[in-house]
Amino acid sequence: MRVAILGCGYVGRELGRQLLEDGHEAIGVRRSDDGIERLEDDGIDPIRADLTDPTDLEAVPDVDAVVFAASSGGRDAAAAREIYVEGLETAIRAFGGREDPPERLVYTSSTGVYGDHDGDWVDEETPIEPTTEKTEVLAEAERIAREAPSEYGFDGTVARYAGLYGPDRYRLERYLEGPVTAGYLNMVHRDDAAGAVRHLLETDRARGEVVQVVDDEPVEKWTFADWLADEADLERPPKRTKAERLEDDDLSETARRRILTSKRCSNARLRELGYELAYPTFREGYREAIAARE
């Protein structure tokens, strides 16, 4: 396959590396000079382009699949809309309007679209209830990713990621130092976030579907923090309940909603599709980071 990875950053670069290892061709699209240099270091064919500019996207050759893995960089809902909605629409039109359009699109989303489920399990059949402007944008982008490609004769898939972690994103000190607020963590290692998309492309599965990409074991934050501390041979960190955290005067409305949002994400569908996780739980995923502290 020849795959274009639009917004080839943290997960996209790993996806490109995995595709290359399996004998495919990976094209990475970034805007910055630093981003282009990183792609060159990885052996991924780099193309500098703005995803919201159809003229820029003309520089990307015809491909078998497009993976839209761009990030809004943690900015506000307006910035998110520019990338996830306007950029996605631009990319679908730009590639779909070609004489040789791609066979499929994979859009990487977030489990944040679910909203609060009071700690209950959620899967691909659970109705989404976005609670912030940004997650509303993500929900709209998911709809576009699934519906718009069919206008051009190809299929869209949504890979709905849980919280990403991995090299350079372990954030150990947050949990080792505390205080740690109660609630569930739904996580997936970067290598599996990329590996799941690679698997869907290579097996040609989940066309037109949403697939939740999360590891086997959602974990309570207090349990996770205590495990980290025990493994690192440190004192367990201080804890606080959600009610205690909500008493803080410095909380933004977005942070307040995040604290009140609780769910456990199932990966049963991903497993049914045949993907085997390299890091099935946080235990396998964090051992390298803990060892690096010693």
Side-chain angles (χ1 to χ4, degrees):
M1 291 181 295
R2 174 187 276 179
V3 181
I5 306 167
L6 309 186
C8 194
Y10 188 62
V11 174
R13 289 174 60 200
E14 176 60 24
L15 173 59
R17 289 189 288 264
Q18 291 186 22
L19 289 170
L20 291 172
E21 287 176 2
D22 283 2
H24 307 293
E25 183 178 351
I27 299 167
V29 179
R30 294 288 298 270
R31 287 192 300 182
S32 70
D33 291 339
D34 287 346
I36 293 296
E37 289 177 5
R38 292 190 185 101
L39 297 182
E40 291 173 341
D41 291 342
D42 294 332
I44 299 169
D45 291 339
I47 292 180
R48 183 182 288 100
D50 183 336
L51 303 184
T52 64
D53 187 336
T55 302
D56 275 12
L57 290 176
E58 291 176 1
V60 183
D62 292 343
V63 293
D64 300 299
V66 173
V67 177
F68 194 96
S71 169
S72 65
R75 294 178 292 165
D76 60 18
R81 174 168 293 279
E82 180 182 8
I83 298 298
Y84 299 131
V85 172
E86 297 170 11
L88 180 60
E89 289 178 325
T90 298
I92 291 171
R93 286 194 300 269
F95 285 94
R98 297 182 175 191
E99 290 186 11
D100 187 12
E103 295 181 9
R104 64 184 304 185
L105 164 84
V106 178
Y107 166 69
T108 61
S109 186
S110 165
T111 56
V113 297
Y114 284 112
D116 180 38
H117 287 269
D118 198 27
D120 286 343
W121 286 92
V122 299
D123 61 20
E124 291 83 353
E125 302 302 317
T126 305
I128 61 175
E129 300 174 2
T131 57
T132 67
E133 290 184 11
K134 190 166 185 178
T135 53
E136 287 173 358
V137 168
L138 293 174
E140 183 179 353
E142 285 194 2
R143 179 189 60 76
I144 293 167
R146 295 180 69 187
E147 296 177 2
S150 63
E151 299 175 16
Y152 301 94
F154 63 103
D155 297 308
T157 298
V158 173
R160 192 178 282 163
Y161 288 157
L164 293 166
Y165 74 97
D168 301 320
R169 290 197 186 182
Y170 288 108
R171 303 181 179 95
L172 287 174
E173 304 312 319
R174 173 190 300 179
Y175 294 99
L176 290 174
E177 296 177 359
V180 179
T181 303
Y184 280 107
L185 284 171
N186 296 276
M187 297 186 286
V188 65
H189 192 283
R190 176 205 64 184
D191 294 6
D192 283 314
V197 172
R198 173 187 48 76
H199 176 77
L200 296 180
L201 292 174
E202 291 182 335
T203 59
D204 197 27
R205 293 183 175 179
R207 286 176 178 254
E209 294 184 29
V210 174
V211 179
Q212 195 153 259
V213 182
V214 59
D215 70 18
D216 289 346
E217 189 178 331
V219 61
E220 219 290 331
K221 291 178 184 178
W222 289 2
T223 301
F224 174 65
D226 283 349
W227 179 85
L228 284 178
D230 292 348
E231 291 295 310
D233 197 24
L234 297 172
E235 185 177 346
R236 291 182 172 184
K239 319 286 195 309
R240 59 187 168 192
T241 65
K242 290 188 176 185
E244 290 170 336
R245 179 70 176 103
L246 290 169
E247 290 175 357
D248 290 353
D249 295 331
D250 63 345
L251 273 184
S252 66
E253 185 58 31
T254 299
R256 184 174 298 274
R257 289 181 181 178
R258 187 180 300 116
I259 292 166
L260 292 171
T261 298
S262 180
K263 60 187 178 292
R264 285 176 286 173
C265 299
S266 167
N267 69 3
R269 178 58 180 151
L270 181 63
R271 288 290 199 178
E272 287 174 3
L273 290 166
Y275 182 67
E276 294 293 330
L277 288 112
Y279 301 95
T281 77
F282 62 90
R283 297 176 190 85
E284 295 85 5
Y286 272 85
R287 290 200 189 280
E288 180 180 335
I290 293 169
R293 293 186 80 258
E294 297 176 355

